[in-house]
Amino acid sequence: MAEEQRKIIEGYGVTEEAMGVPIRSNMETVVIGVSGEGIPVHMDYEASQADYIVPIVRIKAHTDFDGPIESGYCKMLAIGLGKHNGCARVHREGLGNFATVIPSVASTVLERRRVPFGVGIIENAHEHVYAVHVTPGERFLDQEPELLALSKRLMPRLCFPHIDVLVVERIGKDITGAGMDPNITGRSALGVSSCFSGPAITNIVALSLTEGTHHNASGVGSADFITRALFDDIDLTATYTNCIAAGALRFCKIPAVLESEEEALRAAIHTCPRVDPDQVKMVRIQDTLHLVDIQVSESLVPYCEKEACFTVHR
């Protein structure tokens, strides 16, 4: 598994040659303490031996829970540095408790190891860097909620009140940890969040896996229909390992498998209650990261022409 982690970051161009430093990938962890809730706090062995730890993170909304601290400095300290052992242990507390568990575990890391500062990257709706913040370690818990609030204001969304069929051309871990972002689709491991402000979606069709996901189909369970090509590309071991460790079994359930894209679309339309197939409200996106250019069915064109957030190209 350590070698697989190395391969993944190499796919992002992070190699020893490019960075000019050694890369040490090791799944061994040590327990450095116990959190306030009594959770053993695991840390990557290599990091535990370092003089200083500097997390470099994207600060953004988490895919599966809502809270003042979601994905960022604290999650990296609590889960990222914990590797598989720490991740699995924290997830045993349940995603619904993450808003308190993650800050608590992160606090133990900050108490037991030297974390002088962190680098927080905030991206805009185009996944371009909007801001880079350097935050002192002792200010992580104070400043991260402010940075998260900024990140959420910049998030993209599908600007429709309702979608009958959402077609997602590709899903994958390199798109989001949940394969397709629940902040866009509304479908998380815990169901629809009360904070979700996007459209109600009746059916989701997923067509393929990204190359960068390395056959890990975590998040496929958020779809209602998938193609045979996507199904045949799934590495069940990688997918189940990921979802079991994350306590997100909903994400690894296999949807209805149709032989072709056309069959999947027909099935998705057919199972939309009280919808005339000629008037189906269908939206097609490349993935949940890329929402600038989307395709819509003819029935949605009048709506798009009225809304200022859209530019229609026929």
Side-chain angles (χ1 to χ4, degrees), residues 158 162-168 180 185 187 199-206 221-226 255-256 263-275 280-284:
L158 292 168
H162 175 77
I163 296 173
D164 293 320
V165 179
L166 175 66
V167 183
V168 184
M180 46 183 156
T185 66
R187 299 186 179 188
I201 301 172
T202 303
N203 283 327
I204 296 179
V205 179
S222 296
D224 300 288
F225 301 92
I226 61 174
E263 289 185 29
L265 295 182
R266 287 181 180 277
I269 295 170
H270 179 74
T271 52
C272 288
R274 297 182 177 181
V275 171
V280 65
K281 294 179 175 65
M282 183 182 296
V283 176
R284 184 183 181 114

Side-chain angles (χ1 to χ4, degrees), residues 55-59 73 117-124 128-135 143 147 150 154:
I56 303 174
V57 303
R58 288 193 300 173
I59 296 177
Y73 298 129
F117 63 91
V119 180
I121 301 167
I122 295 175
E123 297 170 335
N124 62 19
H128 297 156
V129 175
Y130 176 85
V132 177
H133 288 262
V134 177
T135 307
Q143 290 193 359
L147 299 177
L150 171 60
L154 297 169

Side-chain angles (χ1 to χ4, degrees), residues 260-295:
S260 67
E261 176 181 333
E262 180 179 348
E263 289 185 29
L265 295 182
R266 287 181 180 277
I269 295 170
H270 179 74
T271 52
C272 288
R274 297 182 177 181
V275 171
D276 180 346
D278 292 330
Q279 296 299 316
V280 65
K281 294 179 175 65
M282 183 182 296
V283 176
R284 184 183 181 114
I285 61 175
Q286 178 181 338
D287 53 57
T288 54
L289 273 184
H290 300 92
L291 300 177
V292 174
D293 297 312
I294 66 175
Q295 295 177 304

Side-chain angles (χ1 to χ4, degrees), residues 45-59:
Y45 172 79
E46 303 288 353
S48 73
Q49 302 303 302
D51 293 327
Y52 300 99
I53 297 169
V54 177
I56 303 174
V57 303
R58 288 193 300 173
I59 296 177

Side-chain angles (χ1 to χ4, degrees), residues 171 177-180 216-223 239 243 250-253:
I171 68 173
M180 46 183 156
N216 182 338
S218 178
V220 70
S222 296
T239 303
C243 292
R250 180 178 300 186
F251 279 169
C252 63
K253 293 183 177 180

Side-chain angles (χ1 to χ4, degrees), residues 1-250:
M1 192 176 292
E3 187 57 33
E4 289 302 312
Q5 284 194 335
R6 181 186 289 269
K7 289 179 181 177
I8 289 172
I9 64 170
E10 285 177 352
Y12 299 139
V14 181
T15 64
E16 293 188 349
E17 294 74 22
M19 307 305 294
V21 295
I23 294 175
R24 299 176 181 174
S25 184
N26 188 340
M27 298 306 292
E28 181 182 353
T29 61
V30 296
V31 175
I32 64 168
V34 179
S35 76
E37 287 88 3
I39 302 169
V41 177
H42 288 262
M43 177 176 282
D44 170 86
Y45 172 79
E46 303 288 353
S48 73
Q49 302 303 302
D51 293 327
Y52 300 99
I53 297 169
V54 177
I56 303 174
V57 303
R58 288 193 300 173
I59 296 177
K60 58 186 297 186
H62 194 274
T63 56
D64 297 316
F65 75 95
D66 300 300
I69 290 176
E70 296 180 23
S71 287
Y73 298 129
C74 291
K75 181 170 176 281
M76 181 61 73
L77 296 182
I79 293 179
L81 280 176
K83 292 299 186 75
H84 179 77
N85 292 336
C87 172
R89 180 59 188 86
V90 170
H91 278 82
R92 280 172 51 192
E93 299 299 308
L95 291 167
N97 297 310
F98 267 27
T100 55
V101 168
I102 285 180
S104 176
V105 174
S107 294
T108 303
V109 175
L110 291 167
E111 292 167 2
R112 300 301 179 94
R113 290 296 185 273
R114 292 185 210 130
V115 184
F117 63 91
V119 180
I121 301 167
I122 295 175
E123 297 170 335
N124 62 19
H126 303 283
E127 289 292 305
H128 297 156
V129 175
Y130 176 85
V132 177
H133 288 262
V134 177
T135 307
E138 66 269 18
R139 297 295 310 281
F140 281 3
L141 275 76
D142 296 330
Q143 290 193 359
E144 189 167 333
E146 300 173 15
L147 299 177
L148 175 62
L150 171 60
S151 176
K152 286 188 173 184
R153 288 198 297 272
L154 297 169
M155 280 181 58
R157 65 187 297 271
L158 292 168
C159 300
F160 302 94
H162 175 77
I163 296 173
D164 293 320
V165 179
L166 175 66
V167 183
V168 184
E169 293 181 357
R170 58 181 198 164
I171 68 173
K173 295 288 290 183
D174 52 334
I175 302 299
T176 175
M180 46 183 156
D181 193 344
N183 294 298
I184 304 300
T185 66
R187 299 186 179 188
S188 77
L190 296 177
V192 178
S193 165
S194 59
C195 299
F196 180 65
S197 59
I201 301 172
T202 303
N203 283 327
I204 296 179
V205 179
L207 303 181
S208 68
L209 298 181
T210 62
E211 182 177 350
T213 199
H214 302 284
H215 310 287
N216 182 338
S218 178
V220 70
S222 296
D224 300 288
F225 301 92
I226 61 174
T227 61
R228 172 67 62 181
L230 188 157
F231 177 77
D232 290 343
D233 201 23
I234 297 175
D235 180 334
L236 290 177
T237 299
T239 303
Y240 290 160
T241 298
N242 188 166
C243 292
I244 291 171
L249 295 182
R250 180 178 300 186

